[in-house]
Amino acid sequence: MKITVVGTGYVGLVTGACFAEVGHVVTCIDIDSKKVALLKVGVLPFYEPGLDTLVERNLLDGRLKFQDDFLLLDEECKVFFIAVPTPSMPDGSCNLNYVINALQSICENTKGSIIVVIKSTTPAGTIFKLEQLIQGYSFQERTIDLVSNPEFLKEGSAVSDCMKPDRIIVGSNSKYALSELRSLYAPFTLNHDRILEMDAASSEMTKYASNAMLATRISFMNELAKTCEKVGANIHSVRIGMGSDSRIGYHFLYAGIGWGGSCFPKDIRALMDLSKSHDCPATILEAVYNVNQKQKGLLVEKIQRYFDFDLQNKVVALWGLSFKPDTDDIREAPSLAIIEALLKLGAHVRVYDPICMGSVKELYPTIEVCQDPYHASQQADCTALITEWKLFRSTDFKKLKMNMQGKAFFDGRNQFNPQMVESFGFDYIGIGQGRVISCEDSLV
Ligand code: NAD
């Protein structure tokens, strides 16, 4: 089948490449001409494990192509996916302008009946509004069916998430559109049926509800972590204890320095806005969001306390900058709030991240980017783990200790055994680990 994917970002490019991989003929279109020029020669605009191989293979085989001009849309293509941004407006509501522009470009540059699938995350009710908006483009011989098909891939494992999805949610009033999507997705559901059909508003709501639930679990643990520190409990043990209940499970119960990224923050804001605009107080969501805003400041607070609230000229090494491992995405990453606060307090910030130092340096030119974690920690007064890239797991703490001038290790992701780290002469400070620490001032 011929497919066009509009938007070649984290979602659009992965979707396009995966559809091509299973034999569909895919055109990816983006208004960013520079991006398109690079993609035409197989250069990816972002880092996503395994995606380069997929793009290269399908480009060579002629099943995947890139263009920047809607005037050149293939007349034979009848299914269009929209995967453009839906960022926050200043008031927290969802900005639908990119989706509307993409939809209008498709409608204006096609003739026959088409199906337009909205992969972008849109608030419940958007499909209905879009249907009203494009009424003028439909006439007797031409129908434009809209489908909500929210994306659940995770950056860092996007290719496998897309090739082996947990579920594929499709929401539409059009039986024809739903059956076409069933055929399109058939290669991904051979093992068992993963397609869940529903109305468009429920499909849109499912995406927000899923992200909100995951964010809630993390904020809940972060809130508990604070109490754990006060009462001498360990949030890590609590997670194991809770998670062993099969009704709860272990996932997304990690306390840390807060959630960020391109989806959770903006989606929670959009859901809060949607609830409020329908007179349904978003009490739980507001708490989830506020706990997270505070959590982003927690690490700096701990560093400040350790150094008696004087960070002037202190050298702070930060390990990891992306909002999570295996991605170069820094949108709303906790690292940004941390760097900003540290710089304001007069600290000298040295950073190491395997992928995204360049983009962070553009935002904060005074930080020092380093060639490896030990280099970042050279002469540092403290080291803080911000993003739990796997490469940090085998840290040589003996070497690290010799590199640093201070002895504080802040484990923002609770990745290390405190006793092990302390056995190398460090003061270990984690999150929610209520225990007597060896630095002078108790952090609790
Ligand atoms: P992105 O910013 O990485 O990419 C969006 C692309 O769309 C950009 O390349 C941009 O140039 C292009 N674009 C914008 N307007 C266009 C237009 N009118 N025509 C053609 N191209 C246009 O965005 P993303 O992270 O891929 O997110 C896309 C959508 O998917 C958002 O709604 C997001 O919430 C949702 N989503 C994202 C993820 C994720 O992990 N990134 C996961 C699930 C859902």
Side-chain angles (χ1 to χ4, degrees), residues 210-364:
S210 304
N211 276 356
M213 173 54 82
L214 295 173
T216 301
R217 284 171 70 104
I218 302 172
S219 281
F220 176 71
M221 293 308 279
N222 282 337
E223 190 165 78
L224 284 189
K226 281 205 177 116
T227 314
C228 283
E229 287 185 4
K230 302 271 184 199
V231 300
N234 186 318
I235 195 69
H236 177 65
S237 308
V238 175
R239 182 189 81 88
I240 303 286
M242 285 168 71
S244 61
D245 183 331
S246 60
R247 294 169 302 173
I248 298 175
Y250 297 101
H251 295 296
F252 276 79
L253 293 181
Y254 292 95
I257 51 175
W259 39 266
S262 58
C263 292
F264 281 14
K266 76 164 177 73
D267 290 351
I268 307 304
R269 287 192 290 266
L271 185 52
M272 287 197 287
D273 173 76
L274 183 75
S275 305
K276 270 190 208 153
S277 67
H278 288 84
D279 281 334
C280 306
T283 322
I284 293 176
L285 283 180
E286 273 172 26
V288 166
Y289 191 78
N290 292 338
V291 165
N292 195 58
Q293 291 303 94
K294 282 199 193 127
Q295 199 70 11
K296 285 189 186 181
L298 180 72
L299 193 86
V300 174
E301 207 179 296
K302 283 177 181 267
I303 296 176
Q304 273 189 287
R305 281 189 195 197
Y306 184 89
F307 290 110
D308 239 351
F309 294 92
D310 180 11
L311 289 189
Q312 202 63 40
N313 297 323
K314 288 279 182 302
V315 180
V316 180
L318 301 182
W319 287 7
L321 298 170
S322 51
F323 86 92
K324 67 172 187 175
D326 297 319
T327 181
D328 60 353
D329 201 339
I330 56 163
R331 290 178 277 187
E332 300 203 39
S335 66
L336 305 184
I338 290 169
I339 291 175
E340 197 153 324
L342 289 173
L343 291 177
K344 268 195 195 134
L345 292 165
H348 181 68
V349 180
R350 292 170 62 87
V351 302
Y352 174 73
D353 184 283
I355 302 285
C356 62
M357 286 193 291
S359 45
V360 178
K361 174 87 177 163
E362 269 177 35
L363 294 174
Y364 304 102

Side-chain angles (χ1 to χ4, degrees), residues 6 9-11 30 35 84 86 120-121 151 155 263 266 331:
V6 179
Y10 290 88
V11 169
D30 203 293
K35 224 180 213 185
V84 298
T86 45
S120 298
T121 305
E151 181 53 62
E155 287 173 21
C263 292
K266 76 164 177 73
R331 290 178 277 187

